[in-house]
Amino acid sequence: MPDNTRRARDEMFWQTFADRYAVEPGPINLENGYFGRMSRTVIEEYQRNIELINRSNSVHVRQRFEQGENLAILAQLADLMGVTAESVAFTRNASDGLQSLIRNYNLLQPGDQVLICDLEYDTVKGAMRWLARHRGAEVIEIDHTHPASYDSLLATYRETFARYPKLKLMALTHVTHRTGLVMPVKAIVAAAREHGIDVILDGAHALGQIEFNLDDLGVAFAGFNLHKWIGAPLTLGFMYIAPERLADIDPDMGEMHFPVTDIRARTPYSTPNIPALLTLPLVFEEHRAMGGSAAKGARLNYLRNRWVNAVRELPGIEVMTPDDPRLYCGITAMRFTRHADQQAMADRLLKDFNLFTVTRSGAASGPCIRITPGLTTTAAHMDVLSNALHELS
């Protein structure tokens, strides 16, 4: 058994990490997908940086942060991602980065087509529709068959690419926020490239719980969060543009604070959360000390499988996310098939079993309840969920 898989089951080992996080008394939180917790040491570092910048004000920012600290931190991010520093730029979150990439993509011509699917994030859908409207392009929207399989997902895209020869650009979500379905990104991107279609990847939920390499995936444009599974303060994300494709994304609204050859010109220029950015070196250090995305992902997958395996065959319960290990991560969705109102059932999980979850809608397969363990979640918490679902089924 691989070391990460074995350790994923070691409750004492993971409790040493869970103890590093402060947890408010209350319901068992199974909605860790919204944003992640900072460790106590990260909070302390963040507070020190807030006080530092508040005391020194623009003196530190002008003389040190803008003169080198920001570039050093950006280089550390690039090292974490295995890319060059010239290919990444900080944003407030993944959505900001994705919106900048979409609205500034300059290869779209009147009559071209852009592609979105039912599982995309609503902000991404809206941005792609906006782009099409302002460039005279057509939006193609597809729904994925349910239940999904690796082959069905790839086949849907291949058939769509062949059916719509004017497709030029598509959005693709690595880990869908609605159900936790993990898309076969590498295969889809390769198929898109055969038809001359560019892909903008939404990696908001992928970074920190899935191991991947952007070069290997073949992705040229992507947006990510640092405040979900990496453990950074809120307001931190970044965009990625492959250096050889930088010219295909215009500077954001004529941004002139950086040269046209600098990726930072592709984001709005404004005062960032400097204390949060100064905290990132410690965040990256702790992420690596925990074992990185491989160890975190193995732990989250173990917690996911613990409850899924216990309820997969229950009548009245449908687990929405497949069990193909290529297609799932820690996030997984389910629904009560005998109840139309999933929110009412989520309310019952909270009221009767002290389990906090969230409902998601928008997928063609229908509304669902999203279950997302976190790094403070225990196997016992997942057993509470399994027992609750047995009772409610």
Side-chain angles (χ1 to χ4, degrees):
M1 184 183 297
D3 188 59
N4 281 327
T5 303
R6 183 174 61 252
R7 279 193 166 177
R9 300 169 175 268
D10 188 339
E11 293 301 303
M12 291 184 65
F13 174 80
W14 283 98
Q15 190 60 47
T16 63
F17 291 105
D19 289 342
R20 301 179 185 183
Y21 299 86
V23 179
E24 185 77 3
I28 297 171
N29 183 10
L30 297 180
E31 181 8 27
N32 292 279
Y34 193 176
F35 56 92
R37 285 188 174 90
M38 294 179 282
S39 69
R40 287 186 176 89
T41 48
V42 167
I43 291 172
E44 291 168 0
E45 178 70 5
Y46 188 21
Q47 184 63 44
R48 280 194 293 269
N49 290 328
I50 290 172
E51 294 172 356
L52 168 66
I53 298 304
N54 192 58
R55 288 195 311 269
S56 62
N57 197 261
S58 59
V59 175
H60 182 103
V61 174
R62 296 292 193 194
Q63 292 186 336
R64 297 184 59 182
F65 182 79
E66 292 181 350
Q67 297 302 317
E69 284 179 336
N70 60 338
L71 295 177
I73 297 167
L74 199 62
Q76 291 186 41
L77 170 64
D79 182 64
L80 182 75
M81 296 299 298
V83 298
T84 64
E86 293 73 24
S87 65
V88 289
F90 286 117
T91 61
R92 292 184 304 173
N93 48 52
S95 292
D96 273 13
L98 292 165
Q99 285 180 321
S100 291
L101 289 169
I102 292 168
R103 70 172 169 264
N104 295 310
Y105 179 81
N106 60 29
L107 298 181
L108 208 61
Q109 301 296 323
D112 286 340
Q113 297 169 324
V114 300
L115 178 64
I116 55 177
C117 80
D118 59 316
L119 297 176
E120 248 75 74
Y121 196 56
D122 287 338
T123 300
V124 172
K125 289 182 180 180
M128 291 290 278
R129 291 173 182 140
W130 178 92
L131 178 69
R133 186 167 64 251
H134 284 264
R135 303 289 177 84
E138 179 187 6
V139 180
I140 305 300
E141 301 188 38
I142 60 172
D143 296 335
H144 286 289
T145 57
H146 177 76
S149 69
Y150 186 98
D151 291 338
S152 74
L153 292 168
L154 186 53
T156 295
Y157 279 110
R158 286 190 179 280
E159 291 165 5
T160 302
F161 298 159
R163 183 179 179 185
Y164 298 101
K166 293 183 179 180
L167 277 171
K168 183 66 178 180
L169 179 69
M170 65 174 283
L172 180 63
T173 304
H174 199 158
V175 176
T176 62
H177 79 290
R178 303 184 195 279
T179 66
L181 179 68
V182 178
M183 288 288 182
V185 172
K186 183 177 180 178
I188 294 170
V189 170
R193 188 183 298 113
E194 293 174 5
H195 292 266
I197 302 168
D198 279 330
V199 175
I200 294 180
L201 183 71
D202 178 353
H205 274 290
L207 182 61
Q209 65 166 329
I210 293 179
E211 275 198 298
F212 60 88
N213 178 281
L214 286 169
D215 284 340
D216 181 62
L217 294 179
V219 170
F221 312 112
F224 298 94
N225 280 318
L226 291 167
H227 59 236
K228 287 191 184 292
W229 302 104
I230 295 294
L234 286 167
T235 74
L236 292 181
F238 66 97
M239 69 160 61
Y240 166 81
I241 303 175
E244 68 276 12
R245 299 298 307 277
L246 183 64
D248 299 331
I249 306 293
D250 284 332
D252 193 69
M253 301 184 76
E255 173 57 53
M256 294 181 294
H257 288 85
F258 298 103
V260 70
T261 54
D262 193 319
I263 186 177
R264 291 175 295 173
R266 274 67 183 174
T267 64
Y269 182 83
S270 61
T271 305
N273 187 340
I274 295 166
L277 289 169
L278 290 172
T279 308
L280 280 178
L282 178 60
V283 171
F284 297 154
E285 178 184 334
E286 291 193 357
H287 173 70
R288 287 191 170 100
M290 199 174 289
S293 300
K296 287 181 178 179
R299 172 62 175 175
L300 294 169
N301 285 357
Y302 163 68
L303 294 171
R304 177 263 185 198
N305 288 334
R306 189 175 180 96
W307 76 266
V308 168
N309 293 341
V311 307
R312 172 69 81 177
E313 303 303 323
L314 274 182
I317 298 289
E318 180 186 8
V319 178
M320 309 290 290
T321 317
D323 286 332
D324 183 336
R326 297 172 295 179
L327 302 181
Y328 72 78
C329 58
I331 306 169
T332 289
M334 51 77 59
R335 65 179 165 209
F336 293 90
T337 58
R338 296 168 180 164
H339 300 271
D341 190 347
Q342 298 303 306
Q343 183 58 57
M345 299 308 293
D347 292 342
R348 284 200 63 186
L349 285 170
L350 179 59
K351 179 175 179 288
D352 297 344
F353 302 95
N354 202 38
L355 295 164
F356 183 70
T357 59
V358 67
T359 56
R360 300 285 84 177
S361 60
S365 55
C368 58
I369 299 174
R370 191 178 75 183
I371 309 295
T372 311
L375 298 177
T376 61
T377 307
T378 66
H381 292 154
M382 307 319 296
D383 294 342
V384 173
L385 173 65
S386 301
N387 292 336
L389 296 179
H390 272 83
E391 287 196 40
L392 293 176
S393 69

Coordinates of all heavy atoms in Angstrom, one line a residue, residues 305-386:
N305 N -14.4 8.0 0.7 CA -14.7 6.6 0.4 C -15.4 5.9 1.6 O -16.2 5.0 1.5 CB -13.5 5.8 0.0 CG -13.1 6.2 -1.4 OD1 -13.9 6.6 -2.2 ND2 -11.8 6.0 -1.7
R306 N -15.0 6.4 2.8 CA -15.5 5.8 4.0 C -17.1 6.0 4.1 O -17.8 5.0 4.4 CB -14.9 6.5 5.3 CG -15.2 5.7 6.6 CD -14.5 6.3 7.7 NE -14.8 5.7 9.0 CZ -14.1 4.7 9.5 NH1 -13.0 4.2 8.9 NH2 -14.5 4.1 10.7
W307 N -17.6 7.2 3.7 CA -19.0 7.3 3.8 C -19.7 6.8 2.5 O -20.8 6.2 2.6 CB -19.4 8.8 4.1 CG -19.3 9.8 3.0 CD1 -18.3 10.6 2.7 CD2 -20.3 10.1 2.0 NE1 -18.5 11.4 1.6 CE2 -19.8 11.1 1.2 CE3 -21.6 9.6 1.7 CZ2 -20.5 11.7 0.1 CZ3 -22.3 10.2 0.7 CH2 -21.8 11.2 -0.1
V308 N -19.0 7.0 1.4 CA -19.6 6.6 0.1 C -19.8 5.1 0.1 O -20.9 4.5 -0.3 CB -18.8 7.1 -1.1 CG1 -19.2 6.4 -2.4 CG2 -18.9 8.6 -1.2
N309 N -18.8 4.3 0.5 CA -18.9 2.9 0.5 C -20.0 2.3 1.4 O -20.5 1.3 1.2 CB -17.5 2.2 0.9 CG -16.4 2.5 -0.2 OD1 -16.7 2.8 -1.3 ND2 -15.2 2.4 0.2
A310 N -20.3 3.1 2.5 CA -21.3 2.7 3.4 C -22.7 2.9 3.0 O -23.6 2.3 3.5 CB -21.0 3.4 4.8
V311 N -22.9 3.8 2.0 CA -24.2 4.2 1.6 C -24.5 4.0 0.1 O -25.7 4.2 -0.3 CB -24.6 5.6 2.0 CG1 -24.3 5.9 3.5 CG2 -23.8 6.6 1.1
R312 N -23.5 3.6 -0.7 CA -23.7 3.6 -2.1 C -24.9 2.7 -2.5 O -25.6 3.1 -3.5 CB -22.4 3.1 -2.8 CG -22.5 2.8 -4.3 CD -22.6 4.0 -5.1 NE -21.3 4.7 -5.3 CZ -21.2 5.7 -6.1 NH1 -22.2 6.3 -6.7 NH2 -20.0 6.3 -6.3
E313 N -25.1 1.6 -1.9 CA -26.2 0.7 -2.3 C -27.5 1.0 -1.5 O -28.5 0.2 -1.7 CB -25.8 -0.7 -2.1 CG -24.5 -1.1 -2.8 CD -24.6 -0.8 -4.3 OE1 -25.7 -1.1 -4.9 OE2 -23.6 -0.4 -4.9
L314 N -27.6 2.0 -0.7 CA -28.8 2.3 0.1 C -29.9 2.7 -0.8 O -29.8 3.6 -1.7 CB -28.6 3.4 1.1 CG -28.0 3.1 2.5 CD1 -27.9 4.3 3.3 CD2 -28.8 2.0 3.2
P315 N -31.1 2.1 -0.7 CA -32.3 2.6 -1.4 C -32.7 3.9 -0.9 O -32.6 4.3 0.3 CB -33.4 1.5 -1.1 CG -32.9 0.9 0.2 CD -31.4 0.9 0.2
G316 N -33.0 4.8 -1.9 CA -33.4 6.2 -1.5 C -32.2 7.1 -1.5 O -32.4 8.3 -1.3
I317 N -31.0 6.6 -1.7 CA -29.8 7.5 -1.7 C -29.1 7.3 -3.0 O -28.9 6.2 -3.5 CB -28.8 7.1 -0.6 CG1 -29.4 7.3 0.8 CG2 -27.5 7.9 -0.7 CD1 -29.6 8.7 1.2
E318 N -28.8 8.4 -3.7 CA -28.0 8.3 -4.9 C -26.7 9.1 -4.7 O -26.8 10.3 -4.5 CB -28.7 8.9 -6.1 CG -27.9 8.8 -7.4 CD -28.6 9.5 -8.6 OE1 -29.6 10.1 -8.4 OE2 -28.0 9.4 -9.7
V319 N -25.6 8.4 -4.8 CA -24.3 9.1 -4.8 C -24.0 9.6 -6.2 O -24.0 8.8 -7.1 CB -23.2 8.2 -4.3 CG1 -21.8 8.9 -4.3 CG2 -23.5 7.7 -2.9
M320 N -23.9 10.9 -6.4 CA -23.8 11.5 -7.7 C -22.5 11.3 -8.4 O -22.4 11.3 -9.7 CB -24.1 13.0 -7.7 CG -25.4 13.3 -6.9 SD -26.9 12.8 -7.8 CE -26.8 14.0 -9.1
T321 N -21.4 11.1 -7.7 CA -20.1 11.1 -8.2 C -19.6 9.7 -8.4 O -19.8 8.8 -7.5 CB -19.1 11.9 -7.2 OG1 -19.7 13.1 -6.8 CG2 -17.8 12.2 -7.9
P322 N -19.1 9.3 -9.5 CA -18.7 7.9 -9.7 C -17.5 7.5 -8.9 O -16.8 8.3 -8.2 CB -18.3 7.9 -11.2 CG -17.9 9.3 -11.5 CD -18.8 10.2 -10.7
D323 N -17.3 6.1 -8.8 CA -16.2 5.6 -8.0 C -14.9 5.3 -8.8 O -14.0 4.8 -8.2 CB -16.7 4.3 -7.4 CG -17.7 4.5 -6.2 OD1 -17.6 5.6 -5.6 OD2 -18.5 3.6 -6.0
D324 N -14.9 5.7 -10.0 CA -13.6 5.6 -10.8 C -12.6 6.5 -10.2 O -12.9 7.8 -10.1 CB -13.9 6.0 -12.3 CG -12.7 5.9 -13.2 OD1 -11.6 5.9 -12.7 OD2 -12.9 5.8 -14.4
P325 N -11.5 6.1 -9.6 CA -10.6 6.9 -8.9 C -10.0 8.1 -9.8 O -9.5 9.0 -9.3 CB -9.4 6.0 -8.5 CG -9.6 4.8 -9.3 CD -11.0 4.7 -9.7
R326 N -10.2 8.0 -11.1 CA -9.8 9.1 -12.0 C -10.8 10.2 -12.0 O -10.4 11.3 -12.4 CB -9.6 8.6 -13.4 CG -8.5 7.5 -13.6 CD -8.6 7.0 -15.0 NE -9.8 6.2 -15.3 CZ -10.2 5.6 -16.4 NH1 -9.3 5.7 -17.5 NH2 -11.3 5.0 -16.6
L327 N -12.0 10.0 -11.4 CA -13.1 10.9 -11.6 C -13.6 11.5 -10.2 O -14.6 12.2 -10.2 CB -14.2 10.3 -12.3 CG -13.9 9.7 -13.7 CD1 -15.2 9.2 -14.3 CD2 -13.3 10.8 -14.6
Y328 N -12.9 11.2 -9.1 CA -13.4 11.7 -7.9 C -12.2 12.2 -7.0 O -11.1 11.9 -7.2 CB -14.3 10.7 -7.1 CG -13.5 9.6 -6.4 CD1 -12.8 9.8 -5.3 CD2 -13.5 8.3 -7.0 CE1 -12.1 8.7 -4.7 CE2 -12.9 7.2 -6.4 CZ -12.1 7.5 -5.2 OH -11.5 6.4 -4.6
C329 N -12.6 13.1 -6.1 CA -11.6 13.6 -5.1 C -12.4 13.6 -3.8 O -13.3 12.9 -3.6 CB -11.1 15.0 -5.5 SG -12.4 16.2 -5.7
G330 N -12.0 14.5 -2.8 CA -12.6 14.5 -1.5 C -14.1 15.0 -1.6 O -14.9 14.6 -0.8
I331 N -14.4 15.9 -2.5 CA -15.7 16.4 -2.7 C -16.6 15.4 -3.4 O -16.2 14.9 -4.5 CB -15.7 17.7 -3.5 CG1 -14.7 18.7 -2.9 CG2 -17.1 18.3 -3.7 CD1 -14.5 19.9 -3.8
T332 N -17.8 15.1 -2.8 CA -18.7 14.2 -3.5 C -20.1 14.6 -3.1 O -20.4 15.1 -2.0 CB -18.5 12.7 -3.1 OG1 -17.2 12.3 -3.7 CG2 -19.6 11.8 -3.5
A333 N -21.0 14.4 -4.1 CA -22.4 14.8 -3.8 C -23.4 13.6 -3.8 O -23.1 12.6 -4.4 CB -22.9 15.8 -4.9
M334 N -24.5 13.8 -3.1 CA -25.5 12.8 -3.1 C -26.9 13.5 -3.1 O -27.0 14.7 -2.9 CB -25.3 11.9 -1.9 CG -25.2 12.6 -0.5 SD -26.8 13.3 0.2 CE -27.7 11.8 0.3
R335 N -27.9 12.7 -3.2 CA -29.3 13.2 -3.1 C -30.2 12.1 -2.6 O -29.9 10.9 -2.7 CB -29.8 13.8 -4.4 CG -30.0 12.8 -5.5 CD -30.5 13.6 -6.7 NE -30.4 12.7 -7.9 CZ -30.3 13.2 -9.2 NH1 -30.2 14.5 -9.3 NH2 -30.2 12.4 -10.2
F336 N -31.3 12.6 -2.0 CA -32.3 11.7 -1.5 C -33.3 11.5 -2.7 O -34.0 12.5 -3.0 CB -33.0 12.3 -0.3 CG -32.1 12.3 0.9 CD1 -31.3 13.4 1.2 CD2 -32.0 11.2 1.8 CE1 -30.5 13.5 2.3 CE2 -31.2 11.3 2.9 CZ -30.5 12.4 3.2
T337 N -33.4 10.4 -3.2 CA -34.2 10.2 -4.4 C -35.7 10.2 -4.2 O -36.5 10.4 -5.1 CB -33.8 8.9 -5.1 OG1 -34.0 7.8 -4.2 CG2 -32.4 8.9 -5.6
R338 N -36.1 10.0 -2.9 CA -37.5 10.0 -2.6 C -38.0 11.4 -2.1 O -39.2 11.5 -1.6 CB -37.8 8.9 -1.5 CG -37.5 7.5 -2.0 CD -37.5 6.6 -0.8 NE -37.2 5.2 -1.3 CZ -36.8 4.2 -0.5 NH1 -36.7 4.4 0.8 NH2 -36.6 3.0 -1.0
H339 N -37.1 12.4 -2.1 CA -37.5 13.7 -1.7 C -37.1 14.7 -2.8 O -35.9 14.7 -3.2 CB -36.8 14.0 -0.4 CG -37.1 13.1 0.7 ND1 -38.2 13.3 1.6 CD2 -36.5 12.0 1.1 CE1 -38.2 12.3 2.5 NE2 -37.2 11.5 2.2
A340 N -38.0 15.5 -3.2 CA -37.8 16.5 -4.2 C -36.9 17.7 -3.7 O -36.1 18.3 -4.4 CB -39.1 17.0 -4.8
D341 N -37.1 18.0 -2.4 CA -36.5 19.2 -1.8 C -35.2 18.8 -1.1 O -35.3 18.3 0.1 CB -37.5 19.9 -0.9 CG -37.0 21.2 -0.4 OD1 -35.8 21.5 -0.6 OD2 -37.8 22.0 0.2
Q342 N -34.1 18.9 -1.8 CA -32.8 18.5 -1.2 C -32.4 19.5 0.0 O -31.8 19.1 0.9 CB -31.7 18.5 -2.2 CG -32.0 17.4 -3.3 CD -32.2 16.0 -2.8 OE1 -31.4 15.5 -2.1 NE2 -33.3 15.4 -3.2
Q343 N -32.8 20.7 -0.1 CA -32.5 21.7 0.9 C -33.2 21.3 2.2 O -32.6 21.4 3.3 CB -32.9 23.1 0.6 CG -32.5 24.1 1.6 CD -31.1 24.2 1.9 OE1 -30.3 24.4 1.0 NE2 -30.7 24.0 3.2
A344 N -34.4 20.8 2.1 CA -35.1 20.3 3.3 C -34.4 19.1 4.0 O -34.4 19.0 5.2 CB -36.6 19.9 2.9
M345 N -33.8 18.3 3.2 CA -33.1 17.1 3.7 C -31.7 17.6 4.3 O -31.3 17.0 5.3 CB -32.9 16.1 2.6 CG -34.2 15.5 2.1 SD -35.3 14.9 3.4 CE -34.3 13.5 4.0
A346 N -31.1 18.6 3.7 CA -29.9 19.2 4.3 C -30.2 19.8 5.6 O -29.4 19.7 6.6 CB -29.3 20.2 3.3
D347 N -31.4 20.4 5.7 CA -31.8 21.0 7.0 C -32.0 19.9 8.0 O -31.7 20.1 9.2 CB -33.1 21.8 6.8 CG -32.9 23.1 5.9 OD1 -31.7 23.5 5.8 OD2 -33.9 23.6 5.4
R348 N -32.5 18.8 7.6 CA -32.7 17.7 8.5 C -31.4 17.1 9.0 O -31.2 16.8 10.2 CB -33.5 16.6 7.9 CG -35.0 16.9 7.8 CD -35.8 15.6 7.6 NE -35.7 14.8 8.8 CZ -36.3 13.5 8.8 NH1 -36.9 13.1 7.8 NH2 -36.1 12.8 9.9
L349 N -30.4 17.0 8.1 CA -29.1 16.6 8.5 C -28.5 17.5 9.6 O -27.8 17.0 10.5 CB -28.1 16.5 7.3 CG -28.3 15.4 6.3 CD1 -27.5 15.6 5.1 CD2 -28.0 14.1 6.9
L350 N -28.7 18.8 9.5 CA -28.3 19.7 10.5 C -29.1 19.6 11.8 O -28.5 19.5 12.8 CB -28.3 21.1 9.9 CG -27.8 22.3 10.8 CD1 -26.4 22.1 11.3 CD2 -28.0 23.6 10.1
K351 N -30.4 19.7 11.7 CA -31.2 19.7 12.8 C -31.2 18.4 13.6 O -31.1 18.4 14.9 CB -32.7 20.0 12.4 CG -33.7 20.1 13.5 CD -35.1 20.5 13.0 CE -36.1 20.5 14.1 NZ -36.5 19.2 14.6
D352 N -31.2 17.3 12.9 CA -31.4 16.0 13.6 C -30.0 15.3 13.9 O -29.9 14.5 14.8 CB -32.2 15.0 12.8 CG -33.7 15.5 12.6 OD1 -34.1 16.5 13.4 OD2 -34.4 15.1 11.7
F353 N -29.0 15.7 13.1 CA -27.7 14.9 13.2 C -26.5 15.8 13.4 O -25.4 15.4 13.5 CB -27.5 14.0 12.0 CG -28.6 13.0 11.8 CD1 -29.7 13.3 11.0 CD2 -28.6 11.8 12.5 CE1 -30.7 12.4 10.8 CE2 -29.7 10.9 12.4 CZ -30.7 11.2 11.5
N354 N -26.7 17.2 13.5 CA -25.7 18.1 13.7 C -24.6 18.1 12.6 O -23.4 18.3 12.8 CB -25.0 17.8 15.1 CG -24.2 19.0 15.6 OD1 -24.7 20.2 15.5 ND2 -23.1 18.8 16.3
L355 N -25.1 17.9 11.4 CA -24.2 17.8 10.2 C -24.4 19.0 9.3 O -25.6 19.1 8.7 CB -24.4 16.5 9.4 CG -24.0 15.2 10.2 CD1 -24.6 14.0 9.5 CD2 -22.5 15.1 10.3
F356 N -23.4 19.8 9.0 CA -23.6 21.0 8.2 C -23.1 20.6 6.8 O -22.0 20.3 6.6 CB -22.8 22.2 8.7 CG -23.0 23.4 7.9 CD1 -24.2 24.1 7.9 CD2 -21.9 23.9 7.2 CE1 -24.3 25.3 7.2 CE2 -22.1 25.1 6.4 CZ -23.3 25.8 6.4
T357 N -24.1 20.7 5.8 CA -23.7 20.5 4.4 C -24.3 21.6 3.6 O -24.9 22.6 4.1 CB -24.4 19.2 3.9 OG1 -25.8 19.3 4.1 CG2 -23.9 18.0 4.8
V358 N -24.1 21.5 2.3 CA -24.7 22.6 1.4 C -25.3 21.9 0.2 O -24.9 20.9 -0.3 CB -23.5 23.5 0.9 CG1 -22.5 22.8 0.1 CG2 -24.1 24.8 0.2
T359 N -26.4 22.5 -0.3 CA -27.0 22.0 -1.5 C -26.4 22.8 -2.7 O -26.0 23.9 -2.7 CB -28.5 22.3 -1.5 OG1 -28.8 23.6 -1.3 CG2 -29.2 21.4 -0.4
R360 N -26.4 22.1 -3.9 CA -25.9 22.6 -5.1 C -26.9 22.3 -6.2 O -27.5 21.2 -6.3 CB -24.6 22.1 -5.6 CG -23.4 22.3 -4.6 CD -22.9 23.7 -4.6 NE -23.6 24.6 -3.8 CZ -23.3 25.9 -3.6 NH1 -22.3 26.4 -4.2 NH2 -24.1 26.6 -2.8
S361 N -27.2 23.3 -7.1 CA -28.1 23.1 -8.2 C -27.4 23.6 -9.5 O -26.3 24.1 -9.4 CB -29.4 23.8 -8.0 OG -29.2 25.2 -7.8
G362 N -28.1 23.4 -10.6 CA -27.5 23.9 -11.9 C -27.1 22.8 -12.8 O -26.9 23.0 -14.0
A363 N -26.8 21.6 -12.2 CA -26.4 20.5 -13.1 C -27.6 19.9 -13.7 O -28.7 19.9 -13.2 CB -25.7 19.4 -12.3
A364 N -27.5 19.4 -15.0 CA -28.6 18.8 -15.7 C -29.1 17.6 -14.9 O -30.3 17.2 -15.1 CB -28.1 18.4 -17.1
S365 N -28.3 16.9 -14.1 CA -28.7 15.7 -13.4 C -29.6 16.1 -12.2 O -30.1 15.2 -11.5 CB -27.5 14.9 -12.9 OG -26.6 15.7 -12.2
G366 N -29.7 17.4 -11.9 CA -30.6 17.8 -10.8 C -29.9 18.2 -9.5 O -28.7 18.1 -9.4
P367 N -30.6 18.8 -8.6 CA -30.0 19.3 -7.3 C -29.4 18.2 -6.5 O -29.8 17.0 -6.6 CB -31.2 20.0 -6.6 CG -32.4 19.3 -7.2 CD -32.1 19.0 -8.6
C368 N -28.5 18.5 -5.6 CA -27.8 17.5 -4.8 C -27.4 18.2 -3.5 O -27.4 19.4 -3.3 CB -26.6 16.9 -5.6 SG -25.4 18.2 -6.1
I369 N -26.9 17.4 -2.6 CA -26.2 17.8 -1.4 C -24.7 17.5 -1.5 O -24.4 16.3 -1.7 CB -26.8 17.1 -0.1 CG1 -28.3 17.4 0.0 CG2 -26.1 17.5 1.1 CD1 -29.1 16.7 1.1
R370 N -23.9 18.5 -1.4 CA -22.5 18.3 -1.5 C -21.8 18.1 -0.1 O -22.1 18.8 0.8 CB -21.9 19.6 -2.1 CG -20.4 19.4 -2.5 CD -19.9 20.7 -3.2 NE -19.6 21.7 -2.2 CZ -19.2 23.0 -2.5 NH1 -19.0 23.3 -3.8 NH2 -19.0 23.9 -1.6
I371 N -21.0 17.0 -0.1 CA -20.3 16.6 1.1 C -18.9 16.8 0.9 O -18.2 16.2 0.0 CB -20.6 15.1 1.4 CG1 -22.1 14.8 1.4 CG2 -19.9 14.7 2.7 CD1 -22.9 15.4 2.5
T372 N -18.3 17.7 1.7 CA -16.9 18.0 1.6 C -16.1 17.9 2.9 O -16.2 18.8 3.7 CB -16.7 19.4 1.0 OG1 -17.5 19.5 -0.2 CG2 -15.2 19.6 0.6
P373 N -15.4 16.8 3.2 CA -14.6 16.8 4.4 C -13.4 17.7 4.3 O -13.1 18.2 3.2 CB -14.1 15.3 4.4 CG -14.2 14.9 3.0 CD -15.3 15.6 2.4
G374 N -12.8 18.0 5.4 CA -11.6 18.9 5.4 C -10.5 18.2 6.2 O -10.6 17.1 6.7
L375 N -9.4 19.0 6.5 CA -8.3 18.5 7.2 C -8.5 18.3 8.7 O -7.7 17.7 9.4 CB -7.1 19.3 6.9 CG -6.6 19.4 5.5 CD1 -5.5 20.4 5.3 CD2 -6.3 18.0 4.9
T376 N -9.6 18.9 9.2 CA -10.0 18.6 10.6 C -11.1 17.6 10.7 O -11.5 17.3 11.8 CB -10.5 19.9 11.3 OG1 -11.6 20.4 10.6 CG2 -9.4 21.0 11.2
T377 N -11.5 17.0 9.6 CA -12.6 16.0 9.6 C -11.9 14.7 10.0 O -10.8 14.3 9.6 CB -13.2 15.9 8.2 OG1 -13.6 17.1 7.8 CG2 -14.4 14.9 8.3
T378 N -12.7 13.9 10.8 CA -12.2 12.6 11.3 C -13.0 11.5 10.7 O -14.1 11.7 10.1 CB -12.3 12.4 12.8 OG1 -13.7 12.5 13.2 CG2 -11.5 13.6 13.5
A379 N -12.5 10.2 10.8 CA -13.3 9.1 10.3 C -14.6 9.0 11.1 O -15.7 8.6 10.5 CB -12.5 7.8 10.5
A380 N -14.6 9.3 12.4 CA -15.8 9.3 13.2 C -16.9 10.2 12.6 O -18.1 9.9 12.7 CB -15.5 9.6 14.6
H381 N -16.4 11.4 12.2 CA -17.4 12.3 11.6 C -18.1 11.7 10.4 O -19.3 11.9 10.2 CB -16.7 13.6 11.1 CG -16.2 14.4 12.3 ND1 -15.1 15.3 12.1 CD2 -16.6 14.6 13.6 CE1 -14.9 15.9 13.3 NE2 -15.7 15.5 14.2
M382 N -17.3 11.0 9.5 CA -17.9 10.4 8.4 C -18.9 9.3 8.7 O -19.9 9.0 8.1 CB -16.8 9.9 7.4 CG -15.8 10.9 7.0 SD -16.3 12.5 6.7 CE -17.4 12.3 5.2
D383 N -18.6 8.6 9.9 CA -19.5 7.5 10.3 C -20.8 8.1 10.8 O -21.9 7.5 10.7 CB -18.8 6.7 11.4 CG -17.6 5.9 10.9 OD1 -17.5 5.7 9.7 OD2 -16.8 5.5 11.8
V384 N -20.7 9.3 11.4 CA -22.0 10.0 11.8 C -22.8 10.3 10.6 O -24.1 10.1 10.6 CB -21.7 11.3 12.5 CG1 -23.0 12.1 12.8 CG2 -21.0 11.1 13.9
L385 N -22.2 10.7 9.5 CA -22.9 11.0 8.2 C -23.5 9.7 7.7 O -24.7 9.6 7.3 CB -22.0 11.6 7.2 CG -22.5 11.7 5.8 CD1 -23.7 12.7 5.8 CD2 -21.4 12.1 4.8
S386 N -22.7 8.6 7.7 CA -23.2 7.3 7.2 C -24.4 6.8 8.0 O -25.4 6.4 7.4 CB -22.1 6.3 7.2 OG -21.0 6.7 6.5

